[in-house]
Amino acid sequence: MSWQLGLTVDRDSHLPLAVQVRNSLRGLVDDGTLWPGTRIPSSRQLALDIGVSRSVVVEAYEQLSAEGYLETRRGSGTTISRRAQPDAVGSALVPADPEPAPGATWDLRTGTSNIVDFPRQEWIRCVTHVVNNSGRRELGYSQPAGVPLTRRVLVGYLGRVRGVRSRPEDLMVTAGFAQGLALVCKVLLDRGHTTLGVEDPGHPGEREFITSSGLRPVGIPVDGDGLRVDLLEQSGVRAVLATPGNQFPTGTRLSRVRRERLTDWAREVDGYVIEDDFDSPFLHRNDRLPALQSLAPDRVVYAGSASKALAPALRLGWLAAPSELMASIEHVRAGWDIGCSGLEQLVFTRFMDTGAFDRHQRKLRSEFHRRRQAVRRQAGASLPGSRLIGRDSGLQAYLELPAHVDEQALVRAARHRSVLVRGGHFYTLTDTSRPPALVISYAAVNSAGVTRSLMAIGAAYRELEA
C-alpha cells in the first residue's frame, strides 16, 4: 500500500539529503505529530515522493531504526516505534474516559447507548445503495441546513410517528442533539435572553452546556405530573428545555393539562419550549403521546437524534422550529459550519424510507420492555421499600428509596460490588428535598445483566441496613 508522508528536502541546504530526511522524521516524532504505530511509506515510495535516490531514504531509515524511532517488519512495512513515546505535547487533546472504573462488571449510569443491536447489515445495504446511486449533486456540498431529500423524508417520518407539524424548510439536520441545543442557545442569547429554564432533576451535562453558552440555567421542579408549570410561570424565564414525553430521569410524563398550560405560557411570555424528545423510540404505544410541538408549532422547538436508537457515532440530529426562529438558527449555523455529512444523511434517509428504521425501533421497544420488567421484578426483591417511579417505558428507571437510606453510601457500596450507578441527587440542581433514589439505566445492560446487577446492589443495600 502506498502510504504518504508530508516530508520535503531543501536541495540548497548544506546538510546531506539523508540527514535532512532523518532530522525531519525525528522532529515529527518528537513533537507528537507522528505517534507510535503510525504507518509511513516504504523507502522506495518515499524516495519517489520527495525526488531523491532510494539509498538516501534507506540510510535515514536505518539510522532512525538504530535510534529506536522506527520499526520494520516483514509484511507489515515501516511504522513509528512503540518505544518512541512523544512528550506530553498535544496530550491534552486526547480526552480521558469519564469516571474510569477498571474492572466494573455492570454500568447502569445514564448516557450510555445500546450499540450492540446496531443494524449493521441493513445499514451496509443502505450505504451501498447510496454510494452506487450518488452523482455529482449527491457528492457535492449540501445545504447547511441539510440535504433537501433528508429534510423532506424526516418531516414525513416525524409527522407520522410523533405528530410533529413542520415543513422541510423549517427543519434542520444537526450533528446530534448537542449542536441543536447550542444553536438555539446562541439565538436566544442574541435575542436578549439571559436565562433558560431546565427541569429539576434533569441532565447535569445539559446544564453545564447551557452555562457555557452564556445562559444561566434556572431549575424548575418536577413532580408526578411532570414539569411544575406553575413554578415556571413564577420563575421569570421566557424559554425552557423540557422532556415532556418521558421526563429525564424520573420517567414521569407531562400531564395533558400541563401540556396545554405550558404552550399557553410560551405564548403569553413570547417565549419558547425546547422539546427534547430523546427516547420516544423506546416508549410503549400506551405511554406515548404526540410530541408537544403538535400543540404549538409556533412556540415549540422540537429536537431529536439518532444517537439512542442507532449510535452516537453517526452524529445525526434534527431541529424542527418555528419559521421565524429557524431563519435565525440558519444564520448562526452558516457561521459555524457548512452542514453534516451529506452521504450519512442520504444513508439515514434510505434507512427511513425502506422501513428499516421502523422495524429496528419495534425490536428495540420489545427488548427494552423486557429490561424494564426485569428492573421492576428484581428491585422489589433486592431493594425492599423502594418504589419505581414512572411508566414501564424508556431508557432508565427512577428507583425511589426509603427516606432513611444514605444514597451516596449505597452508590459507593455498589461500586465496590462492581456496579456503576448514580443516585438521584446527582441530577438535581436546587431541589434537594427529593427522597434518596437510584437512577438505573439499562441502555447497555441486557435483562440478565439487569437482574444480576440489582442483586449485587441488593447485597450492598442489606449491608448498609445491617
Side-chain angles (χ1 to χ4, degrees):
M1 183 175 290
S2 299
W3 303 99
Q4 297 184 54
L5 181 64
L7 202 67
T8 58
V9 293
D10 181 4
R11 297 185 183 278
D12 295 327
S13 172
H14 67 280
L15 290 175
L17 294 176
V19 174
Q20 291 186 49
V21 172
R22 183 193 67 198
N23 290 350
S24 296
L25 254 173
R26 184 194 289 132
L28 291 174
V29 175
D30 287 340
D31 69 12
T33 302
L34 294 179
W35 279 77
T38 302
R39 298 285 294 272
I40 63 173
S42 65
S43 57
R44 186 187 305 278
Q45 185 62 54
L46 183 59
L48 288 172
D49 289 343
I50 63 178
V52 299
S53 68
R54 186 186 177 197
S55 62
V56 167
V57 180
V58 169
E59 181 182 341
Y61 276 16
E62 287 178 347
Q63 180 62 36
L64 288 170
S65 296
E67 295 174 6
Y69 280 87
L70 299 183
E71 290 179 353
T72 302
R73 296 180 181 178
R74 184 180 300 276
S76 299
T78 303
T79 62
I80 304 302
S81 173
R82 300 289 178 182
R83 295 172 292 166
Q85 294 292 340
D87 294 332
V89 176
S91 61
L93 299 178
V94 183
D97 292 333
E99 297 186 31
T105 304
W106 299 287
D107 192 347
L108 305 181
R109 297 174 297 180
T110 56
T112 55
S113 296
N114 177 36
I115 57 176
V116 173
D117 292 321
F118 181 77
R120 288 172 170 78
Q121 294 306 314
E122 287 274 15
W123 193 260
I124 289 171
R125 280 192 284 270
C126 292
V127 169
T128 302
H129 175 86
V130 167
V131 172
N132 287 341
N133 290 276
S134 291
R136 184 183 300 272
R137 182 180 60 185
E138 290 80 10
L139 294 175
Y141 290 107
S142 61
Q143 298 176 15
V147 174
L149 176 61
T150 300
R151 295 160 75 185
R152 187 165 65 249
V153 172
L154 251 176
V155 164
Y157 166 79
L158 293 173
R160 173 169 57 84
V161 302
R162 299 298 294 127
V164 172
R165 296 158 55 194
S166 187
R167 305 177 303 167
E169 53 267 38
D170 293 331
L171 185 138
M172 175 181 286
V173 179
T174 62
F177 172 79
Q179 187 185 44
L181 179 60
L183 288 165
V184 176
C185 285
K186 180 63 169 66
V187 170
L188 292 176
L189 197 64
D190 291 345
R191 294 188 175 200
H193 290 251
T194 58
T195 57
L196 178 63
V198 294
E199 295 170 326
D200 191 5
H203 198 302
E206 289 180 359
R207 294 197 295 263
E208 294 175 6
F209 195 87
I210 291 165
T211 301
S212 67
S213 75
L215 298 173
R216 179 171 62 87
V218 176
I220 311 297
V222 171
D223 64 15
D225 288 324
L227 183 74
R228 288 281 303 275
V229 183
D230 58 326
L231 298 181
L232 174 66
E233 294 167 342
Q234 301 170 22
S235 68
V237 305
R238 293 192 299 114
V240 64
L241 171 63
T243 51
N246 191 42
Q247 201 277 327
F248 178 88
T250 65
T252 59
R253 188 175 68 190
L254 191 64
S255 68
R256 294 179 185 272
V257 172
R258 289 191 187 176
R259 284 161 61 93
E260 294 178 1
R261 189 170 176 180
L262 181 56
T263 54
D264 289 343
W265 164 84
R267 292 192 178 98
E268 289 167 6
V269 301
D270 189 25
Y272 297 98
V273 179
I274 306 170
E275 179 179 11
D276 179 5
D277 199 24
F278 72 102
D279 70 346
S280 61
F282 303 90
L283 301 183
H284 190 274
R285 61 179 179 273
N286 295 333
D287 294 335
R288 191 168 39 191
L289 291 176
L292 181 72
Q293 190 267 3
S294 64
L295 298 181
D298 59 326
R299 288 295 161 189
V300 179
V301 179
Y302 178 88
S305 79
S307 297
K308 297 292 188 293
L310 289 173
L314 294 176
R315 307 311 306 140
L316 280 172
W318 43 86
L319 287 177
S323 299
E324 58 90 18
L325 195 63
M326 181 55 76
S328 299
I329 293 172
E330 288 184 344
H331 177 74
V332 172
R333 179 77 181 272
W336 285 10
D337 59 33
I338 55 175
C340 306
S341 163
L343 284 178
E344 292 285 2
Q345 292 180 57
L346 289 171
V347 173
F348 184 51
T349 303
R350 175 73 178 174
F351 192 69
M352 288 186 289
D353 232 5
T354 59
F357 198 29
D358 289 75
R359 291 192 296 272
H360 180 61
Q361 290 180 75
R362 288 193 187 96
K363 176 184 175 182
L364 289 181
R365 275 195 292 274
S366 297
E367 170 59 25
F368 276 72
H369 183 69
R370 286 192 290 270
R371 297 182 189 185
R372 176 76 177 205
Q373 292 303 313
V375 172
R376 180 174 292 281
R377 286 192 306 269
Q378 196 57 46
S382 297
L383 300 165
S386 63
R387 184 169 70 99
L388 192 60
I389 306 296
R391 294 171 169 78
D392 278 345
S393 290
L395 291 168
Q396 71 281 326
Y398 192 88
L399 200 60
E400 196 173 276
L401 302 170
H404 67 275
V405 173
D406 185 332
E407 180 185 289
Q408 287 306 308
L410 181 56
V411 169
R412 289 192 297 270
R415 193 183 189 93
H416 291 150
R417 291 182 174 272
S418 204
V419 182
L420 303 180
V421 67
R422 290 189 173 116
H425 285 89
F426 175 83
Y427 301 88
T428 60
L429 179 58
T430 57
D431 185 10
T432 58
S433 63
R434 301 182 69 88
L438 293 178
V439 179
I440 310 291
S441 170
Y442 39 85
V445 182
N446 61 22
S447 300
V450 165
T451 299
R452 289 195 292 270
S453 59
L454 282 173
M455 289 174 66
I457 294 176
Y461 182 79
R462 289 191 297 274
E463 280 183 5
L464 292 177
E465 289 288 274

